[in-house]
């Protein structure tokens, strides 16, 4: 598949995983040569800035500025590729605070997440702000948040669910 085809597929798949004011997504192609984790963290920072600018969350985030790229990098933990689709579907479908509440049908989220992970390929690297070792979340906002970010070194896909109790 061409790079343009991958990008189009990623954008469509991530759009299926988005829900207004709860699950924010981004997909794109890096413009920098040899992008790596710092460039991915910069895209995450841009997504966080978009959430902070959203009228639905502005009142919950007075004075909030997204963490710096080094701070975002430090908050990220690797996710095995074989677990990325399930994690992505969970970020998109299952509410952070009320797991019985679904933002999307689980089956639809799983299909879209499988396509996204497949497009980035088996060699993609995936990152989250969850520390699997202790179950903690390295928060990127002062609210409840859950992030999954993936890249194949040319393209990226980001999903962030945000909630306030």
């Amino acid at each position: 598949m061409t790079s343009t085809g991958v990008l189009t597929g990623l954008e469509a798949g991530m759009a299926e995983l988005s829900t207004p004011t709860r699950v924010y997504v981004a997909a794109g192609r890096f413009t920098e040569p040899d992008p790596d984790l710092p460039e991915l963290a910069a895209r995450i920072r841009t997504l966080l800035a978009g959430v902070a600018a959203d009228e639905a969350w502005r009142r919950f985030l007075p004075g909030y500025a997204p963490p710096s790229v080094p701070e975002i990098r430090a908050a990220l933990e690797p996710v095995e590729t074989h677990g990325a689709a399930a994690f992505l579907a969970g970020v998109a479908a299952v509410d952070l605070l009320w797991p019985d509440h679904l933002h999307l049908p689980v089956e639809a989220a799983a299909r879209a997440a499988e396509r996204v992970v497949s497009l980035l390929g088996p060699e993609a690297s995936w990152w989250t702000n969850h520390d699997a070792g202790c179950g903690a979340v390295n928060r990127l906002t002062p609210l409840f948040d859950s992030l999954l970010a993936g890249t194949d070194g040319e393209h990226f896909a980001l999903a962030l669910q945000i909630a306030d109790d």
Side-chain angles (χ1 to χ4, degrees):
M1 180 178 287
T2 68
S3 180
T4 301
V6 170
L7 179 59
T8 300
L10 285 175
E11 290 172 338
M14 294 307 290
E16 288 180 47
L17 296 170
S18 175
T19 57
T21 71
R22 291 310 292 263
V23 181
Y24 295 82
V25 301
R29 183 182 305 141
F30 291 109
T31 55
E32 304 87 352
D34 300 318
D36 202 356
L37 195 51
E39 290 78 15
L40 185 63
R43 296 315 187 283
I44 293 167
R45 189 171 198 278
T46 299
L47 182 64
L48 291 168
V51 171
D54 188 329
E55 189 174 322
W57 291 104
R58 213 173 308 151
R59 69 186 172 117
F60 295 104
L61 298 167
Y64 169 77
S68 68
V69 167
E71 290 169 326
I72 293 170
R73 285 179 58 196
L76 299 177
E77 300 284 339
V79 172
E80 296 292 329
T81 300
H82 64 79
F87 198 114
L88 180 56
V91 168
V94 181
D95 189 83
L96 287 173
L97 297 177
W98 310 105
D100 291 341
H101 174 75
L102 299 178
H103 298 291
L104 295 172
V106 173
E107 300 80 19
R111 282 191 302 276
E114 286 287 345
R115 281 194 311 276
V116 167
V117 171
S118 176
L119 284 165
L120 287 180
E123 301 302 314
S125 46
W126 292 91
W127 302 89
T128 184
N129 61 329
H130 294 251
D131 185 333
C134 69
V137 175
N138 302 317
R139 294 188 340 177
L140 298 169
T141 70
L143 306 172
F144 295 100
D145 56 63
S146 182
L147 169 82
L148 184 67
T151 181
D152 64 1
E154 181 179 355
H155 304 92
F156 63 89
L158 312 173
L160 173 75
Q161 186 184 139
I162 191 161
D164 183 50
D165 108 28

